[in-house]
Amino acid sequence: MAENSCELFDSGHRACGGCGAALVSRLLLKATGKDVIIVSATGCMEVFSTPYPETAWKVPWIHSLFENNSAVASGIEAALKKQGRKEKVVAIGGDGSTFDIGMLCLSGAFERGHDFTYICYDNEAYMNTGIQRSGATPYDASTTTSPAGKCSKGNNRPKKDLPQILAAHGAPYVATASIAYPSDVVKKIEKALNTPGPCYVQIHAPCCTGWGFEGEKTLAIGKLAIETGLWVNFEMENGVVTRVKKVVRKPVESYLKEQKRFRHLFKPKINAEEIAKIQAIADKNAEKYGTDLKLKSKSGPVVP
Amino acid sequence: MAENSCELFDSGHRACGGCGAALVSRLLLKATGKDVIIVSATGCMEVFSTPYPETAWKVPWIHSLFENNSAVASGIEAALKKQGRKEKVVAIGGDGSTFDIGMLCLSGAFERGHDFTYICYDNEAYMNTGIQRSGATPYDASTTTSPAGKCSKGNNRPKKDLPQILAAHGAPYVATASIAYPSDVVKKIEKALNTPGPCYVQIHAPCCTGWGFEGEKTLAIGKLAIETGLWVNFEMENGVVTRVKKVVRKPVESYLKEQKRFRHLFKPKINAEEIAKIQAIADKNAEKYGTDLKLKSKSGPVVP
Amino acid sequence: MLEITEGSHAVAKAVKMSRPQVIAAYPITPQTHIVETLADMVANGELDAEYITVESEFSALSACIGASAAGSRTYSATTSQGLALMFEVCFNVSGMRLPIVMTIANRALGAPLSIWNDQQDSISLRDCGWIQFYAEDNQEATDLHYIAYKVAESVEVLLPAFVCFDGFILSHTYEPVDMLSQEDVDRYLPAYKPFQKLDSDDPISMGMYATPEYYLEFRYEHDQAMKRAKDVISKAGKEFGEMFGRDYSALVEGYRLEDADTAIVAMGSLCGTIKDSIDEMRLAGKKVGLLKIRCFRPFPAEEIRNALSHVKRVAVLDKNVSIGAKGAVAIEVRDALYGKTMPVLGYILGLGGRDVRISDIKNIISLAESGKGDQFYGLRTEVL
Amino acid sequence: MLEITEGSHAVAKAVKMSRPQVIAAYPITPQTHIVETLADMVANGELDAEYITVESEFSALSACIGASAAGSRTYSATTSQGLALMFEVCFNVSGMRLPIVMTIANRALGAPLSIWNDQQDSISLRDCGWIQFYAEDNQEATDLHYIAYKVAESVEVLLPAFVCFDGFILSHTYEPVDMLSQEDVDRYLPAYKPFQKLDSDDPISMGMYATPEYYLEFRYEHDQAMKRAKDVISKAGKEFGEMFGRDYSALVEGYRLEDADTAIVAMGSLCGTIKDSIDEMRLAGKKVGLLKIRCFRPFPAEEIRNALSHVKRVAVLDKNVSIGAKGAVAIEVRDALYGKTMPVLGYILGLGGRDVRISDIKNIISLAESGKGDQFYGLRTEVL
Amino acid sequence: MRELRIHGRGGQGSVTAAELIAVAAFEGGVYAQAFPAFGVERRGAPVQAFVRFNDHVIRLRSQVYEPDYIIVQDSTLIKDVNVFLGVKPGGIVIVNSGKKIDASVPAGVKLITIDATSIALEVLGLPITNTTLMGAFAAASGEIKFSALENALRHRFPGELAEKNIRAALKAFEIVKGGA
Amino acid sequence: MRELRIHGRGGQGSVTAAELIAVAAFEGGVYAQAFPAFGVERRGAPVQAFVRFNDHVIRLRSQVYEPDYIIVQDSTLIKDVNVFLGVKPGGIVIVNSGKKIDASVPAGVKLITIDATSIALEVLGLPITNTTLMGAFAAASGEIKFSALENALRHRFPGELAEKNIRAALKAFEIVKGGA
Amino acid sequence: MALGIGCSSRPGKAGNNKTGSWRVFKPIFDHDKCTKCGMCKTICPEGCIEESEDDFFIPDETYCKGCGICAEECPSDAITMEQEEK
Amino acid sequence: MALGIGCSSRPGKAGNNKTGSWRVFKPIFDHDKCTKCGMCKTICPEGCIEESEDDFFIPDETYCKGCGICAEECPSDAITMEQEEK
Ligand SMILES: Cc1ncc(C[n+]2csc(CCOP(=O)(O)OP(=O)(O)O)c2C)c(N)n1
Ligand SMILES: Cc1ncc(C[n+]2csc(CCOP(=O)(O)OP(=O)(O)O)c2C)c(N)n1
Ligand code: SF4
Ligand code: SF4
Ligand code: SF4
Ligand code: SF4
Ligand code: SF4
Ligand code: SF4
Ligand SMILES: [Mg+2]
Ligand SMILES: [Mg+2]
């Protein structure tokens, strides 16, 4: 048995091969070290890591429900404060638990200003239950509850802007990251842990099973999301964007066409109109966050 | 019996004399007219207007719970759409139901983009249950769950910025108003009703009982809130502030000292430190929204 | 037409043919296949309904309240944690007398979390004023949806209904189901005519609060409606039988019970396994029979009393437990039989997906014969 | 020391003296005075606890989970809609075996909304694996909090507990209560020593999920803990009696029951009115007695059976109804008495704040004597 | 067992009056129980509160239907609420009024009117009559000693406020004692 | 009643195979029941699915413990899972493998190995073996007619995909038929 | 009277609750000062100020709670609150 | 074995689940190409790549699911995936 003492997240967990969320678990514990208490919401991560009695977590870990990790974390933080203990408190949940069903507890905990870090591993749908749409599902992605079909082009709502929403709650530190850039993930989590008050880090965690690509491409897909501007890596401090990952942008097709969830945009024939809408989302992101790397040449943003 | 056909909100309701929320009900129905369906959350307004069988509402009205008016409204909107009906849908709730316990359903409904208007009558605490703190309670206000005391100066959190939060949800129209300016309230509700998608209007509704002032002062207190910059009347369209009520600002004391909930800041002795913090909140509001009316003289903002 | 299909798909088809106008549901294992199928039907234009992808079960059922109050036929589905999260809303729906139908793909309730089958979820909502049907197989699960709508919407009743079927065990099982045609369904279940609705041309206030002057009477009326539902269910079940050959007029159903010494009482898919067990035991000369409870709310106390009056002993199988007491079915069956003298013994089994086999049923009969009961059955003592 | 005080204040003082380290609660009538008093104590430095003003009951109890799991003694209070909203969390707390104590100021459940008293709220959570105490008066309400913590935290039990007392009727009533001193409480209820906790020096995973290999056994263990709680309650109640003169060792308590022909069974504040009624009826020569159920979970079936074996008839008063069935207490009492022959009749009364008077109790005894029961009592037929 | 019903309006302190009367009675060795008519009434709306007095523990939890004593905080209530409903023969009704009451009290019931508003305005500077009427009640009923009332008021209100209320109560106490 | 157990890995289509076998059996007039071993298994993890065949309605709802037939989609499973557990004497085990299996089958049980992966790769261009193994099962068990299998596949998969799968299944069918 | 199914009711009964009885002070309108601006009607939380035939505004005593807002807000100081003798 | 109260457990048992059995392809590390950059270890979702005594990186076959990420991401193309014969 791999008794690897530096590795706080154990092998033997049940994630799909190539799971982005599993990598989040590992990076998270790398950032926190052992003096942490993790509160996990129901979802893939909880399910693949904690069938009784085989927990993969070597730090204190608790799961209660799908909707309440922020509230459980609030209670832990209060107890630690009362007991004079110094562990950091981290709540982690998937996008479903974070964007949707957990919003009540999340909004409440941020409003109250507890000192904890909330991590959302964002695989852009409810994966554990079989790939249903969440508030984080991108525009036009086909899921089992937003299927592409004769009268549907997939999910018809834009991705909810949770970082902005939590920044509007007065969160001192809000950041986005991607497992495609592991050290950036670790750095941002560390920064969140060391910032007093409720902090939020949303980590893009591609899901081979749910998005429809081969497991080996997990990081590659994550990179493409950033390179096309459909995912922006940034930091916000006290509501102000302070750091953005700049890129030389690629057209969104290069990201979309790699994934089954967008296949209906290409087959039976290319749906240029919808792809243009998605391109517009990327363009808006780029503009809003100023992600475009100005090349030395004066040709402007490299959007074809 | 007053059978007043133009008046869609009936006399005989049980609000305290001088209730700001009661005035909101009346102004709301003035703005909506009869072709509307109202969804009301539990709270003072629901309780003072609908003890069986004495409803004060002459338009279709439904109450289900304290936390779900947005979701009920979502269902109504969907049903009307399916049935090809044209009534407007309005969800209304107090600040407790809106800022706190209703956040799950509210955030979900805004994320899904239903075509309805959400009205929050903001009396800055849970009044129906006896003046407990909500996420909308202003800094330092003494309530029964954030009482001023030896170790407490009242509510220790700033007011949650729900307009900004809902704007970050992509709401096309978000506005604040005050019963102190009745026609502005009506105008903003009308605008919200006529803007497709989920719109939000937050109406300052001073509560004589909960804040501790005489009922006749309800509008006067509302005006003071605006004149001191502790409440800002503004409109946001697609996330951008498009209109702000400008004022010649008064110091916050003039507002605070009129209300029992802030009495501990003045008695037994003036707590200048805390008042300065509240003044800073007003100053920040003024700066953020640009509320200060520049007088002809070049003396700058009239903040002493 | 007899076709072989997954339970969830059969249910989804039945729902579709019931022509709901608004569907609001939130995914949860093992209910997902139902709502995914419905989403697909909507996406492909096969079902002309508003499908609301809510952010939680709390909103799912709340949106149903809105839609139903606005006069649309309304549907949802859930299970376990999802149903638990709806608890407050469930009491609300029934008290508001909105005839919503909701499928429950029965699953255990946490903690500990379990996605597997038992009936704790719907059983623990037995007070909430909804009709509760339990299906033995996917044929019943399917048919009960039509009946549920018909009963729920009847003016004598005006109550919401759960159609419960065992998660995975039925929901994920392919088996032959005789599906009605749309025309058949339309004949049986005509277009929805709401008793009252939110309508600006005829405004009413719904969901008002009741002072002590009125509250007791509202609860009484609610309870009376549930009691009236018994007859309405019988009639609707009979009519169904007359039209389509499968009679559901009985709220409880006996199997080889007439001459039985030992009666088993059970609900849901367990009944199938029990029937096979009974056949085997009968071959071995044991006079065992089954009383299946198809409708748990309204509770058919009299029917149970009549059906069991002649047996020597009763073994009640519960896929639930009221911690600190017993299984809920056992408690209520004993209540129904109060005054009788034969032993009525309860067995709590199959919780959280623990498989129940023919041999288990036989063991239980042995236990019952030796007077042992009111216990958990099937414990792996090695892990205790 | 005997002092006259409001029920809610007495409870708040008892809570304070129990030294909770974390309190998370959400206001709801008629629980508010308790949590307001606690907030005030914290604001004035009389109580050194973290007081979390959560945004909902769902979070209130969830925060308690976190605090309790992190090793702090934890408290909450709620009622009605608030408790209903906690339903899913309640099952979670108990399954996670966290010894949280929560006061329930009993109130009716909507729809229709009602802020007034009955016991539908906690009764409808009877499956959820919490200990349930019901107080007759504010003395009991107060004392039961110490006992609740002691029992809940005992290693043989490790279960959460509701202390239920009737909303308004007790919570808002001033009456004399003998309050313990802090020293007394500290002697009876020592500082909290968690059985296990989240701790980076000794990490564990809590709230894992259970596959079908384990789930049944976890539920069994939960049920066993509840059964063990019976003895632990008796012991803790006896110890309380020995230390402070009020003995709570019995889970059920008789009043003039020894020679009664007719026994009334009831819970909560109704018992006071019933006792006065019994005294009057006794004067008129009627042999009536009361069996008060103080602890409804674990359900004291044997104790009830023993206490009632000699009576000629039983009238069970329920301030709740399982719609489509009966009152929950009546059902379980009949279950407990199964095999007996005296009539056991149920009366559903006092819902949503309908006042219950001595004359009502007398009427019910008449009804019971004439064999009429299993009905709602006290309907205003003029509004039906 | 004796029972008292207090009629007032939301905001007039009827519930506080009931509580303080119970506290005072308890100090005098009487077992007392005080509770409001539970409702959702808001400022201005008619409300009620109750007190029971007994020699031993009070177990009864129903509302009060046949009071021995009635206090009416505001004579304007008489028009809208049947404040005398159920009063026991031999009972005492205390009405705050500066004028004669034209409503007819049931036979055998003693009616005391006292201008508590004027007293309160004079002594407290506010038209808050609940404590004043407590003094009247103490004098009329004999259920509570004035000294106990003093203690109860001192316990509830801080410093000078308590003293003022005591003075108002005493004034009413003396008027009623004198008049009786 | 006959029972079949299919062993595979998450993502290999074992549940689909069970369903389609049931569909085909049903077409042949047999009452069939198919269901997965309900679990939380993810892509790659060992999974199971079951089919029952009967002449009349199947009421039994327990899992399959003593199968008449076993299909093993992936011979690497044999090392980690006891795939032969409970197999009935006289039963048939079909293992996808290009090589001889070294695991010992219980006595009286017929072992058929077939290189479904190669067939699938060849015909479908993908190593997805479930449909191929259905063909082998049809031939070995006689529970389903090949024509019924064809219909089931055509019903489930669109156009050319169905035809390809049918070709793969047929190839396996013929191999097993030939070998049998 | 039958109960409204699900605790529902048609409008029209709120007026049964005559909130005029709550009143301690009563607004007295001075028509000489009144400019008929209508503000009082707009802001009365009871909605109980009516326009009379001659365009003046008068409170409906059946419902006026005497809150005094109209008096406070009347731009012409045309309303005064007087303690009421009932 | 007694159940962990409340479905709790100490760490250490996850490894009982030998996910190596899920593997179809197997990563082969070419130590000649390897620059010892450590990327593979960082990004393996199984956390099953170890640094050996000689600073090279090797996958733990007991747990490696054969996802191929390491091969895909290795900056030196030092890892190749091969179908495994078990
Ligand atoms: C109240 C409740 N509703 C639904 C579920 C079912 N459920 C469990 S996990 C899950 C989806 C999780 O999605 P997400 O949070 O995005 O995590 P992921 O599985 O994608 O990692 C759902 C719907 C539940 N456990 N509880
Ligand atoms: C689930 C639930 N929790 C608590 C309550 C109790 N409650 C009813 S209204 C209310 C406060 C309402 O506050 P707000 O929304 O601000 O309206 P207001 O009363 O101030 O007008 C509370 C806490 C409830 N009805 N339901
Ligand atoms: S479904 Fe996606 S998120 Fe879940 S374990 Fe598999 S790869 Fe990871
Ligand atoms: S408490 Fe405040 S909000 Fe409620 S009715 Fe009275 S004045 Fe209006
Ligand atoms: S507000 Fe004053 S001036 Fe205007 S209409 Fe009313 S009374 Fe007349
Ligand atoms: S006093 Fe108040 S209630 Fe009366 S008319 Fe004026 S504003 Fe309306
Ligand atoms: S990623 Fe490649 S080069 Fe880097 S350590 Fe691993 S095998 Fe070597
Ligand atoms: S193939 Fe995947 S699981 Fe195996 S070592 Fe490489 S990254 Fe880790
Ligand atoms: Mg997700
Ligand atoms: Mg409020």
Side-chain angles (χ1 to χ4, degrees), chain B residues 1-2 4 7 10-19 22-23 26-27 30 52-58 182 215-220 223, chain G residues 1-4 7-17 19 22 41-48 50 60 63 65 67-69 72-73:
Chain B
M1 213 186 90
N4 177 347
E7 191 64 55
D10 229 344
S11 301
H13 65 74
R14 287 155 160 80
C16 307
C19 171
L23 183 48
R26 289 191 55 232
L27 296 173
K30 195 169 248 174
Y52 179 83
E54 299 174 357
T55 180
W57 301 83
K58 296 189 192 166
E216 75 228 30
K217 297 279 184 211
T218 297
L219 274 74
K223 275 182 208 129
Chain G
M1 186 202 104
L3 291 172
C7 211
S8 64
S9 178
R10 296 212 130 58
K13 296 211 187 64
N16 294 357
N17 186 43
T19 50
W22 300 18
K41 180 179 159 80
T42 303
I43 48 97
C44 169
E46 308 310 315
C48 70
E50 312 274 319
D60 182 341
Y63 300 107
K65 290 176 186 157
C67 70
I69 289 190
E72 177 84 13
E73 298 296 328

Side-chain angles (χ1 to χ4, degrees), chain G residues 29-31 33-41 49 55-57 70 73-79:
Chain G
F29 284 60
D30 181 344
H31 288 182
K33 290 191 182 166
C34 173
T35 61
K36 303 183 178 177
C37 70
M39 177 55 101
C40 49
K41 180 179 159 80
I49 300 184
D55 293 354
F56 280 116
F57 291 83
C70 53
E73 298 296 328
C74 169
S76 315
D77 286 334
I79 312 173

Side-chain angles (χ1 to χ4, degrees), chain H residues 29 33-41 57 74-76 78-79:
Chain H
F29 284 60
K33 290 191 181 168
C34 174
T35 61
K36 303 182 177 177
C37 72
M39 177 55 99
C40 50
K41 178 177 158 83
F57 289 83
C74 168
S76 315
I79 312 174

Side-chain angles (χ1 to χ4, degrees), chain C residues 290-308:
Chain C
L290 166 71
L291 185 72
K292 160 173 128 181
I293 300 180
R294 186 190 290 126
C295 175
F296 187 65
R297 282 291 179 276
F299 186 70
E302 260 174 276
E303 290 82 347
I304 290 171
R305 196 176 170 89
N306 292 339
L308 296 180

Side-chain angles (χ1 to χ4, degrees), chain D residues 271-340:
Chain D
C271 294
T273 302
I274 293 168
K275 285 177 182 171
D276 274 11
S277 312
I278 287 173
D279 287 359
E280 289 190 16
M281 287 187 279
R282 286 273 180 177
L283 283 178
K286 269 194 206 278
K287 288 190 172 173
V288 183
L290 166 71
L291 185 71
K292 159 172 129 182
I293 300 179
R294 186 189 289 126
C295 175
F296 187 65
R297 283 289 180 275
F299 186 70
E302 259 174 277
E303 289 82 348
I304 290 171
R305 197 176 169 87
N306 292 338
L308 296 179
S309 54
H310 65 287
V311 304
K312 296 216 181 90
R313 69 188 67 79
V314 180
V316 186
L317 309 196
D318 267 290
K319 277 195 177 180
N320 75 84
V321 53
S322 189
I323 295 274
K326 296 183 183 154
V329 184
I331 295 174
E332 300 207 16
V333 168
R334 277 162 60 111
D335 173 48
L337 293 175
Y338 183 79
K340 300 272 175 197

Side-chain angles (χ1 to χ4, degrees), chain C residues 58 81-85 87-88 91-96 108-116 118 120-121 123-130 159 207-224 226-227 296-301 305 320-326 328 330-344 348-355 374 376-381 383-384, chain D residues 58 81-85 87-88 91-96 108-116 118 120-121 123-130 159 207-224 226-227 296-301 305 320-326 328 330-344 348-355 374 376-381 383-384:
Chain C
F58 200 89
Q81 309 302 129
L83 184 57
L85 182 56
F87 182 82
E88 191 193 6
F91 275 78
N92 218 256
V93 169
S94 64
M96 294 178 80
L109 251 183
L113 191 72
S114 160
I115 60 164
W116 292 273
D118 65 33
Q120 190 71 50
D121 49 1
I123 285 291
S124 284
L125 271 85
R126 64 193 174 285
D127 293 355
C128 80
W130 289 54
L159 285 176
M208 303 171 73
Y209 70 96
T211 57
E213 277 82 58
Y214 291 101
Y215 185 86
L216 181 70
E217 286 70 27
F218 276 110
R219 294 290 279 170
Y220 171 73
E221 241 312 311
H222 189 168
D223 190 55
Q224 288 298 107
M226 189 63 97
K227 285 179 175 147
F296 187 65
R297 282 291 179 276
F299 186 70
R305 196 176 170 89
N320 74 84
V321 52
S322 188
I323 295 272
K326 295 183 183 155
I331 294 174
E332 300 208 15
V333 167
R334 277 162 61 112
D335 173 49
L337 293 176
Y338 183 78
K340 300 271 174 197
T341 51
M342 71 281 210
V344 181
I348 290 160
L349 82 180
L351 303 189
R354 182 65 50 86
D355 202 21
D374 291 342
F376 277 63
Y377 172 83
L379 292 166
R380 294 205 300 140
T381 46
V383 304
L384 287 174
Chain D
F58 199 91
Q81 310 302 129
L83 183 57
L85 182 57
F87 182 82
E88 191 193 5
F91 275 79
N92 218 256
V93 169
S94 64
M96 294 179 78
L109 250 183
L113 190 73
S114 160
I115 60 164
W116 292 274
D118 65 34
Q120 190 72 51
D121 49 1
I123 285 289
S124 284
L125 271 85
R126 64 193 173 286
D127 293 354
C128 79
W130 289 53
L159 285 177
M208 303 171 74
Y209 70 96
T211 57
E213 277 81 58
Y214 290 102
Y215 185 86
L216 182 70
E217 285 69 25
F218 276 110
R219 294 290 277 168
Y220 171 74
E221 241 311 309
H222 189 169
D223 190 56
Q224 287 297 109
M226 188 62 96
K227 287 183 172 143
F296 187 65
R297 283 289 180 275
F299 186 70
R305 197 176 169 87
N320 75 84
V321 53
S322 189
I323 295 274
K326 296 183 183 154
I331 295 174
E332 300 207 16
V333 168
R334 277 162 60 111
D335 173 48
L337 293 175
Y338 183 79
K340 300 272 175 197
T341 53
M342 70 282 209
V344 181
I348 290 160
L349 82 180
L351 302 189
R354 182 65 49 86
D355 201 22
D374 291 341
F376 278 64
Y377 172 84
L379 293 166
R380 295 204 301 139
T381 46
V383 303
L384 286 174

